[in-house]
C-alpha cells in the first residue's frame, strides 16, 4: 500500500509541569505576543478549573494554559514546515514562567492519510471478531506504544480507519526532561513529524 495524500488535522506542542500549580498569564501579556494580529481573538476563562484559552484566528493558533501544562495548537491544518509553534511554546515558557517550572514536553501530530488501496477492514476485524459481530462495526482502530530502553522518550500511536482508503493517525511523542531552547524544540518538532511518517510508511496489512 502506498500513501497518496497526507493532510494534517492538528499539530500541538506541550510543556508540562508535574508539580502543577501553574497560573495563567494575564490576557494583556498574551496579546502582546502577537502585536497587530489579534483581531477576532477569543478568550475562554474557567477560573474554577484553572483553564484559560486564547484563540487567534489571524494566526490560526490556540493557546491553552492549564494548572499542569501549556499547549500551543495549530488550528489551520498546516503542514509542519509552515509552523513555528515549537519556538512559540518556548517563548511563552521563558517569558511567563520562572525556570525550572516545566519538566516534560512533547508533540502531538493528528494526520489523515489516504492510500492507493482499500484498507482490508473486514479481514482485519475477522481475525478477532465473529462475522455476526463484525457486521455492526462502523469504525475501528488500534494503538501501539514504542518504548526503547535507556531513553527518556515515550511514543504512542493511535490508528483509526475512517473510510475504505483513509487512516487517521494520532502520534504522541513525550519527553521526560526539561524543554530545551526554542530552536531546539522547533527542530525536534519537525524531526519527529518525519519519524512518525516513517512509522506510517512501514504499515503492512498482511493477512492469510
Amino acid at each position: 500500500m502506498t500513501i497518496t495524500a497526507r493532510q494534517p488535522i492538528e499539530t500541538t506542542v506541550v510543556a508540562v509541569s508535574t508539580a502543577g500549580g501553574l497560573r495563567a498569564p494575564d490576557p494583556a501579556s498574551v496579546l502582546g505576543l502577537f502585536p497587530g494580529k489579534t483581531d477576532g481573538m477569543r478568550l475562554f476563562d474557567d477560573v474554577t478549573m484553572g483553564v484559560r484559552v486564547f484563540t487567534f484566528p489571524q494566526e490560526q493558533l490556540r493557546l491553552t494554559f492549564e494548572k499542569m501544562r501549556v499547549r500551543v495548537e495549530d488550528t489551520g491544518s498546516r503542514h509542519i514546515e509552515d509552523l513555528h509553534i515549537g519556538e512559540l511554546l518556548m517563548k511563552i515558557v521563558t517569558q511567563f514562567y520562572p525556570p525550572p517550572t516545566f519538566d516534560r514536553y512533547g508533540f502531538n501530530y493528528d494526520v489523515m492519510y489516504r492510500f492507493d488501496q482499500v484498507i482490508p477492514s473486514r479481514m482485519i476485524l475477522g481475525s478477532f471478531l465473529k462475522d455476526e459481530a463484525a457486521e455492526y462495526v462502523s469504525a475501528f482502530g488500534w494503538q501501539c506504544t514504542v518504548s526503547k530502553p535507556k531513553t527518556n522518550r515515550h511514543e504512542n500511536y493511535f490508528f483509526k480507519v475512517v473510510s475504505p482508503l483513509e487512516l487517521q493517525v494520532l502520534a504522541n511523542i513525550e519527553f521526560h526532561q526539561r524543554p530545551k531552547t526554542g530552536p531546539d524544540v522547533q527542530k525536534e518538532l519537525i524531526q519527529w513529524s518525519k519519524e512518525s511518517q516513517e512509522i506510517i510508511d512501514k504499515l503492512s496489512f498482511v493477512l492469510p
Side-chain angles (χ1 to χ4, degrees), residues 67-82:
K67 290 183 178 180
M68 293 188 67
R69 62 181 182 174
V70 175
R71 292 186 292 157
V72 178
E73 304 168 66
D74 168 52
T75 60
S77 299
R78 292 171 288 184
H79 288 277
I80 198 72
E81 296 80 8
D82 301 320

Side-chain angles (χ1 to χ4, degrees), residues 52-69:
R52 182 169 287 171
V53 183
F54 298 81
T55 303
F56 295 89
Q58 279 188 273
E59 292 293 284
Q60 296 182 306
L61 292 173
R62 182 183 299 114
L63 312 184
T64 302
F65 298 88
E66 303 173 358
K67 290 183 178 180
M68 293 188 67
R69 62 181 182 174

Side-chain angles (χ1 to χ4, degrees), residues 104-146:
R104 296 184 182 183
Y105 68 102
F107 314 123
N108 294 324
Y109 309 96
D110 194 352
V111 183
M112 188 74 73
Y113 292 90
R114 188 174 180 85
F115 294 87
D116 63 343
Q117 299 178 35
V118 172
I119 300 169
S121 304
R122 290 296 177 189
M123 294 180 65
I124 297 172
L125 282 169
S127 67
F128 60 90
L129 278 180
K130 293 183 178 180
D131 291 343
E132 57 267 28
E135 181 180 353
Y136 299 101
V137 175
S138 58
F140 81 99
W142 63 94
Q143 173 188 349
C144 72
T145 299
V146 178

